[in-house]
Amino acid sequence: MNSSRTRLAVLGSPIHHSKSPAIQRAAYSVLGLDWSYEAVEMTGEGLAQFVESRDESWRGLSLTMPLKRDILPLLTSRHSLVDLVGGANTVLFADGGLRGFNTDVMGTVRSFTDAGVRGLEFVHILGAGATAASVLVAVAQLGATRALVSARTPDRAQYLVELGSRVGVDVVVRRWGVMDRSLIAPDAIISTLPGGENDLAFAGSIRERSVLFDIAYDPWPSELARTWSDVGGRVISGFDLLINQAVGQVRVFVAGDPDAPLPDEPAVIAAMRAAVA
C-alpha cells in the first residue's frame, strides 16, 4: 500500500456523536503516525460518489449503519467475514482497489473475553439488523449452539436462521416481547439496538444470572444496563465493543490485516480507552 496515504474518516448518519475520531487519533499518536481521521456525515445515496472521488492521500474508512451494507457493491475484494455476515465496517484503499473487512465480530469476541466470558451456549439477541449478524457469528466462535432472536419484524430476521445454520447455531426468531417459554436463563443477553432503545422487561433472576452485553454507549449507562446494575448483574458496555472493533480497524489501516497485532498494542489500547474515559 502507498505509504503516502494518510487520510482516514468515519462515515455515517448521524455522525456528530461518533467517538471514533478521538479513539483513532489516540492510536496513531501512540504509533507515531501523522495521520488524519475525521467524521463525515454520509448516507447511502452519496457513498459511491464519495468513495470514487477520493484521491491518493486516502488510506481508509470506518463505516456505520446503514453503510456497512451499502459499501458491498463498491468493494474490489472482501475478507471472508464480510461475505459471511453481509456487511463491512472497514474499507482499505489499496493499490489493487477497495478492500472490505469486518472487525465487529472480533470486537464482540474480545469484549466478551475481556470480561472473563470465554464460553457461551445459549444467548438471547435483541434486534435483527446487521450488527445482530456479526454478534451471531461472534457467539458461535465462543461456542454458542442456541440463540433466541427478538425482532420487531420477524420476517426480516429469517436471514439470521440461515446464518445460524452456517455457523452451527440453532436460531429461533420470536416477535418482540415474546420470551423463551422454557424460562431457561441465557448465558448472555445481547442488545444490538442503537441508543439503548428497549422496552423489554427481564425477571430479576435472569438479570442476576445472565451477562448483559449492550452495544449502546450513548447515553451510558442505558436504561437496560441500569436494570442489570440494580440487581448486581454483570454488564459489558458498548464502549468495549467500540474500542475492540476499532483495534481491528487500526490493524487494517496499519498493516492491511485485522489479525496482525499492532506494535506495543497494550499501550495503544490504553490510549484509545483514555480518549473516551
Side-chain angles (χ1 to χ4, degrees), residues 31-73:
L31 292 167
L33 297 170
D34 186 21
W35 293 355
S36 67
Y37 190 103
E38 59 188 297
V40 178
E41 184 75 16
M42 183 62 55
T43 62
E45 289 77 9
L47 182 61
Q49 191 278 331
F50 179 88
V51 170
E52 291 165 4
S53 64
R54 297 308 90 189
D55 60 25
E56 287 294 313
S57 67
W58 281 83
R59 193 171 201 89
L61 303 171
S62 305
L63 303 171
T64 65
M65 284 304 297
L67 304 180
K68 294 179 184 181
R69 288 175 173 164
D70 292 340
I71 193 66
L72 297 182

Side-chain angles (χ1 to χ4, degrees), residues 194-208:
E197 300 171 7
N198 180 71
D199 55 8
L200 295 180
F202 292 90
S205 59
I206 290 179
R207 286 179 281 144
E208 290 171 351

Side-chain angles (χ1 to χ4, degrees), residues 68-120:
K68 294 179 184 181
R69 288 175 173 164
D70 292 340
I71 193 66
L72 297 182
L74 307 178
L75 298 176
T76 304
S77 64
R78 307 175 182 183
H79 187 274
S80 58
L81 281 177
V82 172
D83 287 324
L84 183 60
V85 305
N89 72 328
T90 310
V91 167
L92 184 68
F93 290 96
D95 294 338
L98 208 61
R99 299 172 61 194
F101 300 83
N102 178 295
T103 68
D104 287 330
V105 173
M106 182 193 89
T108 301
V109 171
R110 287 185 60 147
S111 297
F112 271 117
T113 57
D114 286 350
V117 180
R118 292 177 170 78
L120 297 167

Side-chain angles (χ1 to χ4, degrees), residues 10 22 84 108 123 141 143 168 194 226 237 255 262 267:
V10 57
L84 183 60
T108 301
V123 301
Q141 291 184 3
R226 286 193 186 96
S237 84
L262 299 165

